[in-house]
Amino acid sequence: MRDKLVVGNWKMNGGLAANAKLLARLASEWTHRERRKLVVCVPAPYLGQAQAALSSGAVMWGVQDVSEHASGAYTGEVAAGMAAEFGCRYAIVGHSERRRLHGETDRVVGAKAAAALAGGLVPVACVGETLDERERGATEEVVARQVDAVIEALGAAMCRCVVAYEPVWAIGTGRTASPEQAQAVHALLRSRLAAAGAGDVSVLYGGSVKGSNAAALFAMPDIDGALVGGASLDADEFLTIARA
Ligand code: PGA
């Protein structure tokens, strides 16, 4: 059974006071009776705060990146095992901002997904084409290459991963892929995952998801939930998406 999942990505936003309010709202309003899983991926320094605020409830928490290494001389990096010690369950890997701003290659993303699993976290592996790639007609080739790198790195463990399709041109731009555009790519990802024995992996859509467009996206057969950036910082908007 594919998990229905909504994951918030706070990116580099937040502060102790604002986080406390947001986490308290989520903790009080999201219960074990909900049909979806709800996750917030917070900046690493706030993992302890997320753990304290959420550990008795239904909302789960995660990190936005992990090192491909388990420990060692990697200044500034956070290992999956360290995040797991704070009760963290998920790790975003290969977000387009990491690929673009930090030069993360498909190989690195695959290694990070493997490191997340080894450290006890579920990787949420992001794939997605740029506007230029879409306009050149290269969308399928790009996302296939990106997901294949993760499949190759994880092997049989791919079935324990989550995949997020985030067209780069839709991230933080207010421009969402239409449900049909997203579904077409999700179907392609699903078929590659199925061929690797991981057809039950949840595939999330991300890129300007809001309360007003979530239901139409979730109605598509291969969209299992969302990876939400900006709108995850607003409790009302995030809960509206989660319940769409
Ligand atoms: P957005 O970001 O919802 O603000 O477009 C999504 C993401 O980058 O994960």
Side-chain angles (χ1 to χ4, degrees):
M1 252 269 287
R2 279 144 54 185
D3 268 346
K4 301 286 180 202
L5 188 68
V6 171
V7 179
N9 173 12
W10 288 6
K11 308 194 180 183
M12 199 174 74
N13 292 295
L16 288 173
N19 301 347
K21 278 194 198 150
L22 178 52
L23 293 169
R25 271 287 309 281
L26 298 179
S28 71
E29 294 205 25
W30 192 261
T31 68
H32 290 285
R33 288 191 302 277
E34 308 279 355
R35 299 197 320 271
R36 289 202 177 98
K37 291 185 176 173
L38 193 64
V39 181
V40 286
C41 290
V42 304
Y46 300 132
L47 281 172
Q49 186 185 23
Q51 181 178 37
L54 301 175
S55 55
S56 58
V59 181
M60 295 178 281
W61 56 101
V63 272
Q64 301 169 11
D65 180 41
V66 288
S67 171
E68 64 180 291
H69 307 286
S71 66
Y74 303 103
T75 302
E77 297 266 72
V78 173
M82 297 173 180
E85 284 195 309
F86 287 90
C88 178
R89 302 275 295 280
Y90 291 85
I92 298 171
V93 296
H95 189 279
S96 64
E97 287 151 17
R98 303 285 322 170
R99 293 180 190 260
R100 181 167 52 88
L101 303 171
H102 301 269
E104 292 188 7
T105 61
D106 291 340
R107 186 208 64 77
V108 169
V109 175
K112 288 188 168 195
L117 274 181
L121 306 179
V122 175
V124 179
C126 302
V127 302
E129 81 287 4
T130 62
L131 185 59
D132 175 59
E133 288 162 342
R134 173 160 284 263
E135 286 174 345
R136 280 196 277 120
T139 298
E140 297 199 350
E141 174 201 323
V142 169
V143 300
R145 190 198 73 223
Q146 291 174 336
V147 80
D148 286 354
V150 181
I151 291 170
E152 196 186 312
L154 298 191
M158 188 65 202
C159 59
R160 287 156 53 210
C161 188
V162 170
V163 171
Y165 168 55
E166 296 205 308
V168 179
W169 48 271
I171 295 177
T173 59
R175 208 176 139 187
T176 325
S178 71
E180 294 74 22
Q181 278 175 322
Q183 167 58 28
V185 177
H186 280 238
L188 168 94
L189 290 168
R190 179 83 56 211
S191 74
R192 292 192 99 83
L193 290 164
D200 273 349
V201 157
S202 297
V203 185
L204 313 181
Y205 171 78
S208 298
V209 177
K210 302 186 276 285
S212 57
N213 59 24
L217 289 160
F218 295 166
M220 294 289 127
D222 289 301
I223 299 183
D224 301 315
L227 180 54
V228 184
S232 72
L233 297 168
D234 178 321
D236 289 320
E237 195 69 18
F238 191 47
L239 288 164
T240 302
I241 294 167
R243 296 195 169 115

